[in-house]
């Protein structure tokens, strides 16, 4: 849908949180990764009307990250993740990258371990499915039974030393 369509919806109902969210998304694209002020105003207004919109919280955190306001990004991630029963992988990974941007690498490693242990599931083959459309494909030299324990137990480097290959792919139907 176009910006005009969402503006029309807001003329009819200026408290339509979903229309405000989508307008914010459009403004992010229009900002061309430079000026996110209007997008931020719209998503904040959307959240003030309906704070249960997970996509809007994700967008708000992404906007703060794009503006290099990493303290606010981390605060949004922590607050929203603490309120979730099923942790959102996108917000979880944004938290990891934000911790790295803040030079808090030890915390980032621990957060990444939590992401992996929460979202990575061994399948019946040598592949691992991750919630959100990611798949880790192993060549079998590091089988499904010990991939997680090796990765989680030794994230600091030995995984990179093993002989074999593993790739991460993103499903084409991933809805972010």
């Amino acid at each position: 849908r176009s910006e005009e369509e969402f503006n029309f919806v807001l003329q009819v109902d200026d408290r339509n949180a979903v229309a405000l969210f989508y307008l914010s998304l459009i403004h992010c694209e229009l900002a061309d990764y430079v000026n996110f002020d209007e997008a931020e105003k719209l998503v904040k207004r959307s959240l003030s009307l309906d704070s249960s919109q997970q996509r809007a919280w994700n967008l708000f955190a992404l906007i703060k990250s794009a503006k290099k306001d990493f303290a606010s990004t981390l605060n949004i991630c922590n607050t929203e993740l603490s309120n979730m029963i099923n942790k959102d992988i996108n917000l979880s990974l944004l938290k990891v990258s934000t911790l790295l941007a803040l030079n808090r690498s030890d915390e980032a490693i621990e957060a990444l371990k939590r992401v992996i242990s929460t979202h990575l599931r061994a399948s019946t083959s040598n592949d691992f499915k991750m919630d959100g459309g990611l798949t880790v494909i192993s060549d079998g030299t590091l089988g499904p039974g010990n991939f997680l324990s090796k990765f989680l137990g030794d994230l600091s480097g030995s995984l990179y030393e093993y002989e074999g290959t593993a790739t991460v792919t993103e499903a084409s139907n991933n809805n972010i």
Side-chain angles (χ1 to χ4, degrees):
R1 293 189 169 173
S2 70
E3 182 177 7
E4 293 80 28
E5 290 175 296
F6 290 114
N7 281 324
F8 177 75
V9 169
L10 290 172
Q11 287 175 358
V12 174
D13 176 10
D14 67 344
R15 298 182 53 81
N16 188 313
V18 174
L20 286 163
F21 163 76
Y22 281 110
L23 269 178
S24 178
L25 202 55
I26 289 169
H27 278 271
C28 282
E29 291 176 2
L30 296 174
D32 199 25
Y33 307 105
V34 177
N35 183 351
F36 292 94
D37 293 339
E38 186 62 25
E40 183 177 356
K41 287 177 195 171
L42 290 164
V43 77
K44 285 168 78 173
R45 187 164 160 228
S46 175
L47 286 166
S48 74
L49 295 169
D50 180 3
S51 63
S52 69
Q53 301 177 84
Q54 186 53 53
R55 293 179 302 176
W57 282 111
N58 289 4
L59 182 60
F60 187 34
L62 285 169
I63 291 169
K64 287 297 196 180
S65 177
K67 293 175 85 172
K68 303 208 181 313
D69 183 353
F70 299 122
S72 294
T73 303
L74 186 59
N75 185 42
I76 293 166
C77 290
N78 285 335
T79 301
E80 287 309 299
L81 288 168
S82 70
N83 292 329
M84 292 178 179
I85 294 171
N86 297 314
K87 306 299 183 209
D88 180 84
I89 189 169
N90 299 309
L91 204 57
S92 299
L93 290 172
L94 180 58
K95 177 180 177 174
V96 171
S97 63
T98 302
L99 287 166
L100 289 171
L102 292 168
N103 294 317
R104 293 164 61 177
S105 57
D106 289 343
E107 290 176 73
I109 289 171
E110 291 306 312
L112 181 58
K113 286 181 181 182
R114 283 190 300 277
V115 170
I116 296 295
S117 66
T118 301
H119 296 283
L120 194 65
R121 307 284 181 252
S123 68
T124 56
S125 68
N126 287 329
D127 302 346
F128 302 87
K129 305 274 185 233
M130 184 177 275
D131 301 343
L134 296 176
T135 302
V136 176
I137 303 170
S138 172
D139 68 356
T141 57
L142 187 62
N146 62 10
F147 177 83
L148 282 176
S149 61
K150 182 164 182 63
F151 186 77
L152 293 175
D154 218 359
L155 189 63
S156 61
S158 66
L159 176 67
Y160 304 108
E161 299 167 7
Y162 96 94
E163 300 286 328
T165 59
T167 57
V168 178
T169 61
E170 185 174 353
S172 59
N173 62 350
N174 189 5
N175 296 325
I176 296 177

